[in-house]
Amino acid sequence: MREQLQLTPVRRLSATSELARNAQGQEFLCIDNEHASAVIALFGGHVLHFQPTGKAPLIWLSQRAVLDGSKPIRGGIPICWPWFGPAPERVGTDKPAHGFARTRPWSLTGVSEGQSGTLVHLSLYSDDSTRAQWEHDFELDLDVLVGESLSLVLTTRNTGQQPLTYNAALHTYLAVESLEGLQVDGLGPRYIDKLDGSQEKQQLGPLPVDRAMDRIYLHADTCIRVRESEREIQVINGNHDSVVVWNPWAEGAKGMADMDDDGYKTMLCVEAAITGSAGVTVAPDDEHCLSCVISA
Ligand code: TA6
């Protein structure tokens, strides 16, 4: 992965982590421990790579991802926050899809070593430019544990005087060997089909991924299982109200400059999300967490 990203080391941060830079001057955190290797971009607080030792990567990154800080990164785990999809009415029009957290530089606020892996702490704070998009004062923290599993906890802390309401997603692009024969289990029976007028529909049994899909599952199990012929990926979500499943398929991939035409064949987004129109309201001085744990 470091080769694909053409990273040059900047400095060692801990026994298992190093800060590196690409040719465009963007900063990345590279982690190599006994359990796994991972790369996290400070732009967007964006996990780009996670590979358990001796196993195949679990996270997909587009070969054509733009990594110069000019646009959201295609692949990895984009942090969609403080809204999901188009901005809701309460936020206003002319705002970027999926919020602004994925296109801001985050601060690296800590790296520590533990028996279960390397713990990385990243933060994003409100400032004049975030207040221009969204009026609230906040601290957004992302804790990433790179161990046998990859764990993410996204904490929204209200540092202002008024309640804030947010939506979000940990928009995970899973790396899969092939979609042929793959099945997704644990999604529950009811979903909103965003490709068909956002109608609510029913699905019984595991989901094969054999066409374009953009679905919001409303009553999913805590653990989603992506079954391939040789492997089962588990995604355990916490404090979400829905699980989004997305694959653009051939037509969708062709329409995206930052995805190879064949890119859709080896990825599947399974996202821990807060998509409900009411969002989650956080009182002043209070916080709320959204989480996921990914393993194979
Ligand atoms: O999570 C699914 C989705 O909201 C889709 O509607 C699709 O557009 C995708 O996210 C990617 O969005 P992006 O803004 O990253 O191109």
Side-chain angles (χ1 to χ4, degrees), residues 106-167:
W106 288 51
S107 307
L108 175 62
T109 38
V111 183
S112 55
E113 304 288 341
Q115 283 207 330
S116 49
T118 311
L119 181 64
V120 176
H121 190 77
L122 299 163
S123 304
L124 180 69
Y125 306 99
S126 50
D127 59 18
D128 287 345
S129 71
T130 66
R131 281 187 287 270
Q133 303 265 2
W134 194 58
E135 63 186 342
H136 300 284
D137 283 319
F138 65 84
E139 178 179 332
L140 185 63
D141 293 317
L142 181 68
D143 288 298
V144 183
L145 177 64
V146 178
E148 274 178 33
S149 311
L150 174 69
S151 310
L152 271 74
V153 180
L154 181 71
T155 304
T156 299
R157 189 163 293 133
N158 185 349
T159 56
Q161 308 293 319
Q162 303 297 324
L164 66 78
T165 298
Y166 83 104
N167 291 90

Short mmCIF file of all heavy atoms in Angstrom, two decimals, residues 106-167:
data_model
loop_
_atom_site.label_atom_id
_atom_site.label_comp_id
_atom_site.label_asym_id
_atom_site.label_seq_id
_atom_site.Cartn_x
_atom_site.Cartn_y
_atom_site.Cartn_z
N TRP A 106 -7.53 16.77 9.60
CA TRP A 106 -7.73 16.46 11.01
C TRP A 106 -6.40 16.58 11.75
O TRP A 106 -5.32 16.50 11.13
CB TRP A 106 -8.27 15.03 11.18
CG TRP A 106 -9.70 14.82 10.75
CD1 TRP A 106 -10.26 15.18 9.56
CD2 TRP A 106 -10.73 14.20 11.51
NE1 TRP A 106 -11.60 14.80 9.53
CE2 TRP A 106 -11.90 14.19 10.72
CE3 TRP A 106 -10.78 13.61 12.78
CZ2 TRP A 106 -13.11 13.66 11.17
CZ3 TRP A 106 -11.98 13.06 13.22
CH2 TRP A 106 -13.13 13.09 12.42
N SER A 107 -6.48 16.74 13.08
CA SER A 107 -5.26 16.78 13.89
C SER A 107 -5.01 15.40 14.47
O SER A 107 -5.94 14.75 14.96
CB SER A 107 -5.41 17.74 15.06
OG SER A 107 -5.83 19.00 14.60
N LEU A 108 -3.75 15.02 14.43
CA LEU A 108 -3.36 13.77 15.10
C LEU A 108 -3.12 14.13 16.56
O LEU A 108 -2.20 14.87 16.88
CB LEU A 108 -2.09 13.23 14.45
CG LEU A 108 -1.49 11.99 15.10
CD1 LEU A 108 -2.45 10.81 15.05
CD2 LEU A 108 -0.18 11.63 14.40
N THR A 109 -3.98 13.62 17.46
CA THR A 109 -3.91 14.05 18.86
C THR A 109 -3.36 12.97 19.77
O THR A 109 -3.28 13.16 20.98
CB THR A 109 -5.29 14.55 19.34
OG1 THR A 109 -6.30 13.72 18.77
CG2 THR A 109 -5.54 15.97 18.90
N GLY A 110 -2.97 11.83 19.22
CA GLY A 110 -2.34 10.82 20.07
C GLY A 110 -2.17 9.48 19.37
O GLY A 110 -2.97 9.11 18.52
N VAL A 111 -1.07 8.81 19.71
CA VAL A 111 -0.84 7.43 19.27
C VAL A 111 -0.34 6.68 20.49
O VAL A 111 0.57 7.15 21.17
CB VAL A 111 0.24 7.32 18.18
CG1 VAL A 111 0.38 5.88 17.70
CG2 VAL A 111 -0.05 8.23 17.00
N SER A 112 -0.93 5.53 20.79
CA SER A 112 -0.40 4.76 21.91
C SER A 112 -0.37 3.28 21.56
O SER A 112 -1.12 2.81 20.68
CB SER A 112 -1.20 5.01 23.18
OG SER A 112 -2.56 4.76 22.95
N GLU A 113 0.52 2.59 22.25
CA GLU A 113 0.72 1.16 22.00
C GLU A 113 0.02 0.37 23.09
O GLU A 113 0.14 0.71 24.26
CB GLU A 113 2.21 0.81 22.03
CG GLU A 113 3.07 1.61 21.09
CD GLU A 113 2.87 1.21 19.63
OE1 GLU A 113 2.35 0.11 19.39
OE2 GLU A 113 3.22 2.02 18.76
N GLY A 114 -0.68 -0.67 22.72
CA GLY A 114 -1.30 -1.54 23.73
C GLY A 114 -1.17 -2.98 23.29
O GLY A 114 -0.75 -3.24 22.16
N GLN A 115 -1.56 -3.91 24.17
CA GLN A 115 -1.45 -5.33 23.82
C GLN A 115 -2.38 -5.68 22.67
O GLN A 115 -2.08 -6.56 21.86
CB GLN A 115 -1.82 -6.17 25.03
CG GLN A 115 -0.69 -6.21 26.05
CD GLN A 115 -0.75 -7.45 26.88
OE1 GLN A 115 -1.83 -7.99 27.10
NE2 GLN A 115 0.41 -7.92 27.32
N SER A 116 -3.51 -4.97 22.60
CA SER A 116 -4.46 -5.34 21.54
C SER A 116 -4.19 -4.59 20.24
O SER A 116 -4.92 -4.78 19.26
CB SER A 116 -5.89 -5.11 22.02
OG SER A 116 -5.99 -3.82 22.58
N GLY A 117 -3.17 -3.72 20.22
CA GLY A 117 -2.84 -3.05 18.97
C GLY A 117 -2.40 -1.61 19.16
O GLY A 117 -2.06 -1.19 20.26
N THR A 118 -2.43 -0.87 18.07
CA THR A 118 -2.03 0.54 18.08
C THR A 118 -3.30 1.39 18.08
O THR A 118 -4.18 1.19 17.23
CB THR A 118 -1.19 0.86 16.83
OG1 THR A 118 -0.17 -0.13 16.70
CG2 THR A 118 -0.56 2.24 16.92
N LEU A 119 -3.36 2.32 19.04
CA LEU A 119 -4.55 3.17 19.15
C LEU A 119 -4.19 4.56 18.65
O LEU A 119 -3.26 5.19 19.14
CB LEU A 119 -5.02 3.21 20.60
CG LEU A 119 -6.28 4.04 20.85
CD1 LEU A 119 -7.49 3.44 20.13
CD2 LEU A 119 -6.58 4.11 22.36
N VAL A 120 -4.96 5.03 17.69
CA VAL A 120 -4.72 6.35 17.09
C VAL A 120 -5.91 7.24 17.43
O VAL A 120 -7.06 6.81 17.36
CB VAL A 120 -4.61 6.21 15.55
CG1 VAL A 120 -4.45 7.58 14.91
CG2 VAL A 120 -3.45 5.30 15.19
N HIS A 121 -5.59 8.47 17.81
CA HIS A 121 -6.64 9.41 18.17
C HIS A 121 -6.53 10.63 17.26
O HIS A 121 -5.49 11.29 17.23
CB HIS A 121 -6.45 9.80 19.64
CG HIS A 121 -7.59 10.58 20.21
ND1 HIS A 121 -8.78 9.98 20.58
CD2 HIS A 121 -7.75 11.89 20.45
CE1 HIS A 121 -9.60 10.91 21.04
NE2 HIS A 121 -9.01 12.07 20.97
N LEU A 122 -7.60 10.92 16.51
CA LEU A 122 -7.62 12.06 15.59
C LEU A 122 -8.78 12.99 15.98
O LEU A 122 -9.81 12.51 16.45
CB LEU A 122 -7.85 11.59 14.16
CG LEU A 122 -6.81 10.65 13.57
CD1 LEU A 122 -7.37 9.96 12.34
CD2 LEU A 122 -5.55 11.42 13.20
N SER A 123 -8.59 14.27 15.76
CA SER A 123 -9.65 15.21 16.15
C SER A 123 -9.88 16.26 15.08
O SER A 123 -8.95 16.64 14.34
CB SER A 123 -9.28 15.93 17.45
OG SER A 123 -9.00 15.00 18.46
N LEU A 124 -11.11 16.74 15.06
CA LEU A 124 -11.49 17.85 14.18
C LEU A 124 -12.30 18.82 15.05
O LEU A 124 -13.19 18.39 15.78
CB LEU A 124 -12.37 17.32 13.03
CG LEU A 124 -12.86 18.34 12.01
CD1 LEU A 124 -11.70 18.86 11.16
CD2 LEU A 124 -13.90 17.71 11.09
N TYR A 125 -11.95 20.11 14.98
CA TYR A 125 -12.61 21.10 15.84
C TYR A 125 -13.35 22.11 14.98
O TYR A 125 -12.92 22.42 13.86
CB TYR A 125 -11.56 21.85 16.68
CG TYR A 125 -10.65 20.93 17.47
CD1 TYR A 125 -9.38 20.61 17.00
CD2 TYR A 125 -11.07 20.38 18.68
CE1 TYR A 125 -8.54 19.77 17.72
CE2 TYR A 125 -10.23 19.54 19.42
CZ TYR A 125 -8.97 19.25 18.92
OH TYR A 125 -8.15 18.40 19.63
N SER A 126 -14.42 22.65 15.54
CA SER A 126 -15.13 23.72 14.82
C SER A 126 -14.23 24.94 14.72
O SER A 126 -13.42 25.21 15.61
CB SER A 126 -16.44 24.06 15.52
OG SER A 126 -16.24 24.29 16.89
N ASP A 127 -14.38 25.66 13.61
CA ASP A 127 -13.67 26.93 13.43
C ASP A 127 -14.54 27.78 12.49
O ASP A 127 -15.65 27.37 12.15
CB ASP A 127 -12.25 26.71 12.88
CG ASP A 127 -12.24 26.00 11.54
OD1 ASP A 127 -13.30 25.97 10.86
OD2 ASP A 127 -11.19 25.48 11.14
N ASP A 128 -14.03 28.93 12.09
CA ASP A 128 -14.88 29.81 11.26
C ASP A 128 -15.32 29.12 9.97
O ASP A 128 -16.44 29.31 9.52
CB ASP A 128 -14.11 31.10 10.92
CG ASP A 128 -14.01 32.00 12.15
OD1 ASP A 128 -14.76 31.75 13.13
OD2 ASP A 128 -13.18 32.93 12.13
N SER A 129 -14.42 28.29 9.40
CA SER A 129 -14.80 27.67 8.11
C SER A 129 -15.85 26.58 8.32
O SER A 129 -16.74 26.41 7.47
CB SER A 129 -13.58 27.13 7.38
OG SER A 129 -13.08 26.01 8.04
N THR A 130 -15.83 25.85 9.44
CA THR A 130 -16.90 24.86 9.65
C THR A 130 -18.20 25.58 10.01
O THR A 130 -19.27 25.17 9.59
CB THR A 130 -16.55 23.83 10.76
OG1 THR A 130 -16.46 24.49 12.03
CG2 THR A 130 -15.25 23.10 10.47
N ARG A 131 -18.08 26.69 10.79
CA ARG A 131 -19.31 27.44 11.16
C ARG A 131 -19.96 28.05 9.94
O ARG A 131 -21.18 28.26 9.92
CB ARG A 131 -19.00 28.49 12.23
CG ARG A 131 -18.88 27.88 13.64
CD ARG A 131 -18.74 28.95 14.70
NE ARG A 131 -17.42 29.56 14.67
CZ ARG A 131 -16.37 29.12 15.38
NH1 ARG A 131 -16.50 28.08 16.19
NH2 ARG A 131 -15.19 29.70 15.28
N ALA A 132 -19.19 28.31 8.88
CA ALA A 132 -19.79 28.83 7.64
C ALA A 132 -20.68 27.76 6.99
O ALA A 132 -21.62 28.07 6.26
CB ALA A 132 -18.69 29.27 6.68
N GLN A 133 -20.38 26.47 7.25
CA GLN A 133 -21.17 25.37 6.67
C GLN A 133 -22.25 24.89 7.63
O GLN A 133 -23.28 24.37 7.22
CB GLN A 133 -20.25 24.16 6.40
CG GLN A 133 -19.09 24.42 5.51
CD GLN A 133 -19.42 24.05 4.08
OE1 GLN A 133 -20.52 23.64 3.78
NE2 GLN A 133 -18.46 24.21 3.20
N TRP A 134 -21.93 25.00 8.93
CA TRP A 134 -22.79 24.39 9.97
C TRP A 134 -22.53 25.19 11.23
O TRP A 134 -21.37 25.29 11.67
CB TRP A 134 -22.35 22.93 10.14
CG TRP A 134 -23.26 22.03 10.88
CD1 TRP A 134 -24.56 21.74 10.58
CD2 TRP A 134 -22.92 21.24 12.03
NE1 TRP A 134 -25.05 20.82 11.47
CE2 TRP A 134 -24.08 20.49 12.37
CE3 TRP A 134 -21.78 21.07 12.80
CZ2 TRP A 134 -24.11 19.61 13.44
CZ3 TRP A 134 -21.81 20.18 13.86
CH2 TRP A 134 -22.95 19.46 14.18
N GLU A 135 -23.58 25.75 11.81
CA GLU A 135 -23.39 26.79 12.82
C GLU A 135 -22.82 26.32 14.16
O GLU A 135 -22.45 27.15 14.98
CB GLU A 135 -24.76 27.47 13.07
CG GLU A 135 -25.77 26.50 13.62
CD GLU A 135 -27.18 27.10 13.74
OE1 GLU A 135 -27.29 28.33 13.72
OE2 GLU A 135 -28.14 26.33 13.85
N HIS A 136 -22.70 25.01 14.36
CA HIS A 136 -22.44 24.52 15.72
C HIS A 136 -20.95 24.46 16.09
O HIS A 136 -20.10 24.28 15.24
CB HIS A 136 -23.04 23.12 15.88
CG HIS A 136 -24.52 23.13 15.66
ND1 HIS A 136 -25.41 23.59 16.59
CD2 HIS A 136 -25.25 22.77 14.58
CE1 HIS A 136 -26.63 23.49 16.12
NE2 HIS A 136 -26.57 23.01 14.89
N ASP A 137 -20.72 24.57 17.40
CA ASP A 137 -19.37 24.33 17.94
C ASP A 137 -19.27 22.88 18.36
O ASP A 137 -20.18 22.35 19.01
CB ASP A 137 -19.11 25.25 19.14
CG ASP A 137 -18.82 26.66 18.69
OD1 ASP A 137 -18.11 26.82 17.69
OD2 ASP A 137 -19.36 27.60 19.31
N PHE A 138 -18.18 22.27 18.00
CA PHE A 138 -18.06 20.82 18.26
C PHE A 138 -16.60 20.41 18.39
O PHE A 138 -15.68 21.14 17.96
CB PHE A 138 -18.69 20.02 17.11
CG PHE A 138 -17.96 20.21 15.80
CD1 PHE A 138 -16.83 19.46 15.48
CD2 PHE A 138 -18.39 21.17 14.88
CE1 PHE A 138 -16.15 19.65 14.28
CE2 PHE A 138 -17.70 21.37 13.69
CZ PHE A 138 -16.59 20.61 13.39
N GLU A 139 -16.41 19.24 18.96
CA GLU A 139 -15.14 18.51 18.82
C GLU A 139 -15.54 17.14 18.30
O GLU A 139 -16.42 16.48 18.87
CB GLU A 139 -14.44 18.39 20.17
CG GLU A 139 -13.15 17.60 20.06
CD GLU A 139 -12.40 17.49 21.39
OE1 GLU A 139 -12.54 18.39 22.25
OE2 GLU A 139 -11.70 16.48 21.56
N LEU A 140 -14.92 16.72 17.22
CA LEU A 140 -15.20 15.41 16.65
C LEU A 140 -13.94 14.57 16.82
O LEU A 140 -12.86 14.98 16.38
CB LEU A 140 -15.55 15.58 15.16
CG LEU A 140 -15.98 14.34 14.40
CD1 LEU A 140 -17.28 13.77 14.97
CD2 LEU A 140 -16.19 14.67 12.92
N ASP A 141 -14.07 13.44 17.49
CA ASP A 141 -12.90 12.60 17.75
C ASP A 141 -13.06 11.26 17.07
O ASP A 141 -14.16 10.68 17.09
CB ASP A 141 -12.74 12.36 19.27
CG ASP A 141 -12.40 13.64 20.00
OD1 ASP A 141 -11.56 14.39 19.48
OD2 ASP A 141 -13.01 13.90 21.04
N LEU A 142 -11.98 10.79 16.50
CA LEU A 142 -11.99 9.46 15.90
C LEU A 142 -10.91 8.63 16.57
O LEU A 142 -9.72 8.96 16.51
CB LEU A 142 -11.72 9.55 14.39
CG LEU A 142 -11.72 8.20 13.66
CD1 LEU A 142 -13.13 7.60 13.64
CD2 LEU A 142 -11.22 8.36 12.23
N ASP A 143 -11.34 7.56 17.23
CA ASP A 143 -10.39 6.60 17.81
C ASP A 143 -10.33 5.40 16.89
O ASP A 143 -11.36 4.79 16.58
CB ASP A 143 -10.85 6.15 19.20
CG ASP A 143 -10.69 7.26 20.22
OD1 ASP A 143 -9.55 7.68 20.44
OD2 ASP A 143 -11.71 7.74 20.75
N VAL A 144 -9.13 5.08 16.45
CA VAL A 144 -8.94 3.92 15.55
C VAL A 144 -8.02 2.94 16.25
O VAL A 144 -6.89 3.30 16.62
CB VAL A 144 -8.29 4.35 14.22
CG1 VAL A 144 -8.16 3.16 13.27
CG2 VAL A 144 -9.08 5.47 13.55
N LEU A 145 -8.49 1.72 16.45
CA LEU A 145 -7.61 0.68 17.02
C LEU A 145 -7.25 -0.27 15.90
O LEU A 145 -8.12 -0.90 15.28
CB LEU A 145 -8.33 -0.07 18.14
CG LEU A 145 -7.52 -1.23 18.75
CD1 LEU A 145 -6.25 -0.74 19.44
CD2 LEU A 145 -8.36 -2.05 19.72
N VAL A 146 -5.93 -0.33 15.63
CA VAL A 146 -5.43 -1.26 14.61
C VAL A 146 -4.93 -2.49 15.33
O VAL A 146 -3.84 -2.50 15.91
CB VAL A 146 -4.30 -0.60 13.79
CG1 VAL A 146 -3.73 -1.57 12.76
CG2 VAL A 146 -4.81 0.67 13.12
N GLY A 147 -5.74 -3.51 15.38
CA GLY A 147 -5.39 -4.76 16.05
C GLY A 147 -5.76 -5.92 15.14
O GLY A 147 -5.72 -5.78 13.92
N GLU A 148 -6.15 -7.04 15.73
CA GLU A 148 -6.62 -8.16 14.90
C GLU A 148 -7.84 -7.72 14.10
O GLU A 148 -8.08 -8.17 12.99
CB GLU A 148 -7.00 -9.34 15.80
CG GLU A 148 -5.81 -10.20 16.13
CD GLU A 148 -6.19 -11.34 17.05
OE1 GLU A 148 -7.32 -11.83 16.95
OE2 GLU A 148 -5.34 -11.70 17.88
N SER A 149 -8.64 -6.86 14.74
CA SER A 149 -9.77 -6.21 14.06
C SER A 149 -9.42 -4.75 13.90
O SER A 149 -8.52 -4.23 14.55
CB SER A 149 -11.04 -6.29 14.92
OG SER A 149 -11.25 -7.58 15.37
N LEU A 150 -10.21 -4.08 13.07
CA LEU A 150 -10.09 -2.63 12.94
C LEU A 150 -11.31 -2.02 13.63
O LEU A 150 -12.45 -2.32 13.26
CB LEU A 150 -10.10 -2.26 11.45
CG LEU A 150 -10.12 -0.77 11.14
CD1 LEU A 150 -8.79 -0.12 11.54
CD2 LEU A 150 -10.40 -0.54 9.65
N SER A 151 -11.06 -1.21 14.65
CA SER A 151 -12.18 -0.60 15.38
C SER A 151 -12.17 0.90 15.20
O SER A 151 -11.12 1.53 15.32
CB SER A 151 -12.08 -0.87 16.88
OG SER A 151 -11.86 -2.22 17.12
N LEU A 152 -13.33 1.46 14.95
CA LEU A 152 -13.47 2.92 14.83
C LEU A 152 -14.56 3.40 15.77
O LEU A 152 -15.66 2.82 15.78
CB LEU A 152 -13.89 3.31 13.41
CG LEU A 152 -12.78 3.56 12.39
CD1 LEU A 152 -12.16 2.26 11.95
CD2 LEU A 152 -13.32 4.30 11.20
N VAL A 153 -14.26 4.42 16.53
CA VAL A 153 -15.29 5.08 17.35
C VAL A 153 -15.26 6.56 17.00
O VAL A 153 -14.22 7.22 17.15
CB VAL A 153 -15.04 4.90 18.87
CG1 VAL A 153 -16.14 5.60 19.67
CG2 VAL A 153 -14.96 3.42 19.24
N LEU A 154 -16.38 7.06 16.52
CA LEU A 154 -16.50 8.47 16.14
C LEU A 154 -17.34 9.17 17.20
O LEU A 154 -18.53 8.85 17.36
CB LEU A 154 -17.17 8.58 14.77
CG LEU A 154 -17.33 10.00 14.23
CD1 LEU A 154 -15.98 10.58 13.82
CD2 LEU A 154 -18.30 10.02 13.05
N THR A 155 -16.72 10.10 17.93
CA THR A 155 -17.42 10.76 19.04
C THR A 155 -17.72 12.21 18.68
O THR A 155 -16.80 12.99 18.38
CB THR A 155 -16.57 10.72 20.33
OG1 THR A 155 -16.24 9.35 20.60
CG2 THR A 155 -17.33 11.30 21.52
N THR A 156 -18.99 12.55 18.73
CA THR A 156 -19.43 13.92 18.46
C THR A 156 -19.64 14.59 19.82
O THR A 156 -20.49 14.17 20.59
CB THR A 156 -20.76 13.90 17.69
OG1 THR A 156 -20.55 13.23 16.46
CG2 THR A 156 -21.28 15.31 17.44
N ARG A 157 -18.84 15.61 20.10
CA ARG A 157 -18.95 16.31 21.39
C ARG A 157 -19.47 17.72 21.11
O ARG A 157 -18.91 18.42 20.25
CB ARG A 157 -17.56 16.35 22.04
CG ARG A 157 -17.56 16.84 23.46
CD ARG A 157 -16.26 16.46 24.15
NE ARG A 157 -16.13 15.01 24.32
CZ ARG A 157 -15.06 14.29 24.03
NH1 ARG A 157 -13.99 14.88 23.54
NH2 ARG A 157 -15.04 12.99 24.22
N ASN A 158 -20.50 18.08 21.81
CA ASN A 158 -21.09 19.41 21.64
C ASN A 158 -20.37 20.39 22.57
O ASN A 158 -20.54 20.34 23.78
CB ASN A 158 -22.59 19.36 21.95
CG ASN A 158 -23.26 20.69 21.66
OD1 ASN A 158 -22.60 21.70 21.42
ND2 ASN A 158 -24.59 20.70 21.68
N THR A 159 -19.58 21.29 22.01
CA THR A 159 -18.83 22.27 22.83
C THR A 159 -19.51 23.64 22.80
O THR A 159 -18.95 24.62 23.28
CB THR A 159 -17.37 22.39 22.32
OG1 THR A 159 -17.41 22.76 20.94
CG2 THR A 159 -16.61 21.11 22.49
N GLY A 160 -20.71 23.68 22.19
CA GLY A 160 -21.43 24.97 22.10
C GLY A 160 -22.47 25.12 23.19
O GLY A 160 -22.55 24.31 24.11
N GLN A 161 -23.28 26.18 23.04
CA GLN A 161 -24.30 26.51 24.06
C GLN A 161 -25.67 25.96 23.68
O GLN A 161 -26.57 25.93 24.52
CB GLN A 161 -24.43 28.04 24.20
CG GLN A 161 -23.12 28.78 24.44
CD GLN A 161 -22.53 28.44 25.80
OE1 GLN A 161 -23.26 28.35 26.78
NE2 GLN A 161 -21.23 28.22 25.85
N GLN A 162 -25.83 25.56 22.41
CA GLN A 162 -27.14 25.08 21.92
C GLN A 162 -27.04 23.60 21.57
O GLN A 162 -25.96 23.13 21.21
CB GLN A 162 -27.53 25.84 20.63
CG GLN A 162 -27.58 27.34 20.76
CD GLN A 162 -28.65 27.78 21.74
OE1 GLN A 162 -29.71 27.16 21.84
NE2 GLN A 162 -28.36 28.83 22.50
N PRO A 163 -28.17 22.86 21.64
CA PRO A 163 -28.13 21.46 21.20
C PRO A 163 -27.74 21.40 19.72
O PRO A 163 -28.03 22.33 18.96
CB PRO A 163 -29.58 20.98 21.37
CG PRO A 163 -30.25 22.00 22.22
CD PRO A 163 -29.50 23.29 22.07
N LEU A 164 -27.06 20.34 19.33
CA LEU A 164 -26.78 20.13 17.89
C LEU A 164 -27.40 18.82 17.45
O LEU A 164 -27.54 17.89 18.25
CB LEU A 164 -25.27 20.17 17.61
CG LEU A 164 -24.34 19.09 18.17
CD1 LEU A 164 -24.40 17.80 17.37
CD2 LEU A 164 -22.91 19.61 18.17
N THR A 165 -27.76 18.75 16.18
CA THR A 165 -28.34 17.52 15.62
C THR A 165 -27.48 17.08 14.45
O THR A 165 -27.15 17.91 13.60
CB THR A 165 -29.80 17.77 15.17
OG1 THR A 165 -30.56 18.15 16.32
CG2 THR A 165 -30.41 16.53 14.56
N TYR A 166 -27.11 15.82 14.45
CA TYR A 166 -26.24 15.37 13.36
C TYR A 166 -26.71 14.05 12.77
O TYR A 166 -27.43 13.28 13.39
CB TYR A 166 -24.78 15.28 13.83
CG TYR A 166 -24.39 14.01 14.55
CD1 TYR A 166 -23.64 13.02 13.89
CD2 TYR A 166 -24.71 13.78 15.89
CE1 TYR A 166 -23.23 11.87 14.55
CE2 TYR A 166 -24.31 12.63 16.55
CZ TYR A 166 -23.57 11.67 15.88
OH TYR A 166 -23.18 10.52 16.53
N ASN A 167 -26.28 13.81 11.53
CA ASN A 167 -26.35 12.50 10.88
C ASN A 167 -24.93 12.13 10.48
O ASN A 167 -24.05 13.00 10.44
CB ASN A 167 -27.22 12.55 9.62
CG ASN A 167 -28.69 12.75 9.95
OD1 ASN A 167 -29.16 13.88 10.04
ND2 ASN A 167 -29.41 11.67 10.13
#
